[in-house]
Amino acid sequence: MNTFSTSSHSRIHQLFDERVGQAPDHPFMFMPEGVMTLAQLAMQVDALAAELRDAGVRLGDRVLVAAENCPEHVALVLACSRVGAWACGVNARMTASELAGFAAKADARVLYFTVGVSTAARQHAAQHSTCASVLPGLQRTLANPQATAQTGELAERVAAIIFTSGTTGQPKGVMLTHAGLLQFGKVSSQSRQLVPTDRSYAYLPMTHIFGLGTVLMASLYAGAGLLMRSQFDPADVFGALAHQGLTQLQGPPAMFTRLLAWLDAQGIHHPAAPDLRYVYTGAAPLDMSVKKAIEARFGMPLHHGYGLSEYAGALTLCRRGEWREDTSAGYLVEGAELRIVDAQGQDLPVGETGEIWMRGLGLMPGYFRDPEITAQVIKPGGWYASGDLGRQDADGALQVVGRLKEMIIRSGFNVYPGEVEAVFLAWPGVQRAAVAGRKTADGNEDILAFIEPKPGAQIDLSALQAHAQEHLSPYKRPTALTLVAEMPMTLSGKVLKRELVQQWESAQHATSPP
């Protein structure tokens, strides 16, 4: 089975249909309970497409699914493409109020729930008036007659909506185009030189661009296989590496931190992984200590990249097999453009830090029914202002420094939290570190550092503070250093720094004299 140009396809299901036509009996999804071929999945796609049409779902409608990974979710994404609807996946582990907010934002025609694999999805379904789907692993609501279908050129272009709330708490619907997802599948597949015999560990939620693009679309592009998992379990990961032909391991840095902790708990240094040939992390900042530890355990480079929902996945990727002595996110991918600009939107010289702007085939058309927020981030010339800070090395490699909104200004100096976090992460026993700014009455900013110890580790805060003083300039040193049992995190593995600051402020208030 050979890869091919995606230019002949206008929708993502056409890529799948071509794969089915080439090799219908090819094993595509490997679950603990059995294997599903491309032809078997195609039967599910056909059945769901007919169900959607019968329910009145049409071009430009949104179909929301509260999901954890399973074949039925994949089939629903492809069935939506077939009927021209937009798949809107949200992680089933969201709260009921969060789900309601996403459903309202999507103005969904129908809601689905992956009840076959997810207790959370079953709980959500129980709070709605649902009926049986044609697939036993799904339940759905009746069609909402009040939903308004998108019309015009946008209705044809968009394949899916990924919801992102970041740290604002307000959901934004990122519109992903068929062209962008097809291009990302191609770029991701080719960067890894995926072939049909490859198998990826598919626990990354396909409600997130990482799972939808890097895992699903790239595997469809190459005709490769997926070890489909609805939940993450380190023991299962290492079992798959040892015995199930797993060749591709991808996930956020938080996943690799958990894998390292599991290996340490088992007393294993070099896990059995006879077929593994590619390890990749993205979706959050990468710490050098995690990178070095993973490379030492697996004996191969930990590849890194920079991407986001608004650009259908990866903007930059490290080259396959390249060992780097930094945490660079790599080089521009095909079809993408990149600028580093100052506060006035002017290009900065190589090596200087500024905001990352991007454009290209993968760029979103905008946020769904949010023209004002879209206008805030799409700049003249069609450039998307990411809000991320970075710089490009002389060889073009991108170094991502942090978030523009998270940059701390202390005594007139710029402090990048990632730089301070790296110092703490180098200390033995530190599992995670998070650094955030807090405005003070005099207009300056406090630097708050939060430390999560490794399981069973004892952290001497005074020794850690001395370590920080030795390695950080005075203006970068934290005002307060606090131990936390566990960092609050998003489902995609990013630390919720705003929550940490609020918890710290509450604790300060509680201990202040009346």
Side-chain angles (χ1 to χ4, degrees):
M1 196 185 301
N2 298 315
T3 55
F4 51 88
S5 169
T6 55
S7 59
S8 60
H9 303 119
S10 59
R11 292 189 190 171
I12 59 175
H13 75 276
Q14 294 169 336
L15 173 61
F16 171 69
D17 290 345
E18 183 160 335
R19 282 291 171 238
V20 176
Q22 291 173 334
D25 296 326
H26 183 70
F28 181 50
M29 285 187 277
F30 299 79
M31 286 79 65
E33 63 273 14
V35 179
M36 179 174 285
T37 66
L38 287 167
Q40 289 169 326
L41 179 60
M43 292 175 64
Q44 291 195 350
V45 175
D46 291 344
L48 280 174
E51 177 172 281
L52 290 170
R53 291 191 180 100
D54 289 346
V57 175
R58 56 202 149 158
L59 178 69
D61 272 335
R62 276 79 50 210
V63 174
L64 190 88
V65 54
E68 294 189 59
N69 283 3
C70 58
E72 292 87 351
H73 183 206
V74 174
L76 187 59
V77 169
L78 295 167
C80 284
S81 172
R82 186 161 289 168
V83 303
W86 305 0
C88 306
V90 296
N91 195 302
R93 297 182 210 180
M94 296 282 185
T95 65
S97 60
E98 287 173 322
L99 178 62
F102 290 133
K105 188 70 181 178
D107 185 25
R109 180 71 65 188
V110 63
L111 277 63
Y112 276 83
F113 307 90
T114 59
V115 295
V117 296
S118 170
T119 300
R122 288 193 291 273
Q123 291 170 344
H124 286 306
Q127 296 180 11
H128 291 76
S129 178
T130 61
C131 58
S133 167
V134 66
L135 299 186
L138 296 174
Q139 288 181 14
R140 67 177 180 89
T141 63
L142 297 176
N144 173 15
Q146 305 302 318
T148 305
Q150 180 68 41
T151 59
E153 175 253 0
L154 201 59
E156 296 277 2
R157 287 180 63 200
V158 174
I161 290 179
I162 294 288
F163 289 102
T164 175
S165 55
T167 56
T168 67
Q170 296 301 314
K172 295 179 291 185
V174 179
M175 294 184 286
L176 303 177
T177 65
H178 289 277
L181 285 172
L182 288 165
Q183 173 70 3
F184 183 37
K186 172 186 174 184
V187 163
S188 181
S189 173
Q190 291 182 344
S191 73
R192 292 179 270 154
Q193 297 181 12
L194 277 183
V195 295
T197 52
D198 276 314
R199 296 181 187 177
S200 296
Y201 193 77
Y203 101 91
L204 290 164
M206 293 179 184
T207 56
H208 186 275
I209 187 60
F210 204 161
L212 182 61
T214 305
V215 177
L216 177 59
M217 292 305 302
S219 297
L220 281 177
Y221 183 88
L226 299 174
L227 269 68
M228 183 66 69
R229 299 292 187 267
S230 58
Q231 298 185 23
F232 177 74
D233 176 6
D236 182 70
V237 174
F238 289 110
L241 284 167
H243 306 297
Q244 297 180 46
L246 187 61
T247 68
Q248 310 280 309
L249 184 59
Q250 299 136 299
M255 180 197 82
F256 286 102
T257 300
R258 288 184 63 184
L259 293 179
L260 289 169
W262 188 89
L263 288 173
D264 288 342
Q266 304 299 314
I268 300 171
H269 188 76
H270 293 294
D275 301 300
L276 184 66
R277 65 179 189 85
Y278 186 86
V279 189
Y280 174 87
T281 191
L286 172 61
D287 175 67
M288 180 60 81
S289 64
V290 173
K291 173 181 164 69
K292 292 296 185 186
I294 289 294
E295 290 178 342
R297 298 294 178 95
F298 288 110
M300 60 185 66
L302 177 60
H303 299 83
H304 192 209
Y306 169 69
L308 58 173
S309 300
E310 287 85 350
Y311 194 85
L315 184 79
T316 63
L317 290 169
C318 286
R319 297 178 181 127
R320 193 176 76 88
E322 181 181 34
W323 292 85
R324 295 192 65 98
E325 294 302 314
D326 58 18
T327 55
S328 165
Y331 308 89
L332 268 180
V333 301
E334 176 190 334
E337 297 177 81
L338 166 67
R339 294 170 63 194
I340 305 294
V341 304
D342 61 18
Q344 288 73 46
Q346 300 300 309
D347 291 308
L348 289 169
V350 168
E352 289 199 20
T353 297
E355 187 178 12
I356 300 170
W357 285 16
M358 66 194 72
R359 69 180 180 186
L361 190 56
L363 188 61
M364 67 170 184
Y367 297 113
F368 181 58
R369 295 181 182 169
D370 265 332
E372 291 183 7
I373 298 179
T374 300
Q376 291 172 15
V377 296
I378 301 296
K379 304 300 181 181
W383 292 94
Y384 170 72
S386 70
D388 289 327
L389 290 166
R391 64 178 184 274
Q392 274 190 290
D393 296 338
D395 65 352
L398 177 67
Q399 306 284 346
V400 181
V401 175
R403 290 288 294 166
L404 183 60
K405 289 180 180 177
E406 291 181 359
M407 186 180 74
I408 302 164
I409 301 178
R410 180 88 171 279
S411 303
F413 293 97
N414 292 346
V415 179
Y416 303 110
E419 196 177 9
V420 182
E421 290 161 359
V423 171
F424 290 118
L425 286 164
W427 187 257
V430 173
Q431 174 105 300
R432 293 190 179 92
V435 171
R438 176 181 175 272
K439 297 286 185 184
T440 59
D442 61 2
N444 212 340
E445 283 193 81
D446 283 334
I447 299 176
L448 308 180
F450 303 90
I451 305 298
E452 178 187 324
K454 291 180 179 178
Q458 299 293 319
I459 304 289
D460 182 340
L461 284 182
S462 59
L464 188 56
Q465 191 78 270
H467 169 74
Q469 290 177 353
E470 181 183 351
H471 292 279
L472 293 170
S473 303
Y475 69 90
K476 297 179 182 177
R477 293 172 190 166
T479 315
L481 189 59
T482 304
L483 288 177
V484 296
E486 188 175 2
M487 297 281 185
M489 302 182 78
T490 67
L491 292 168
S492 58
K494 295 178 182 177
V495 175
L496 292 166
K497 294 185 178 181
R498 185 178 62 169
E499 271 190 36
L500 286 170
V501 173
Q502 289 172 345
Q503 291 171 9
W504 183 87
E505 289 175 335
S506 297
Q508 295 301 113
H509 181 72
T511 56
S512 297

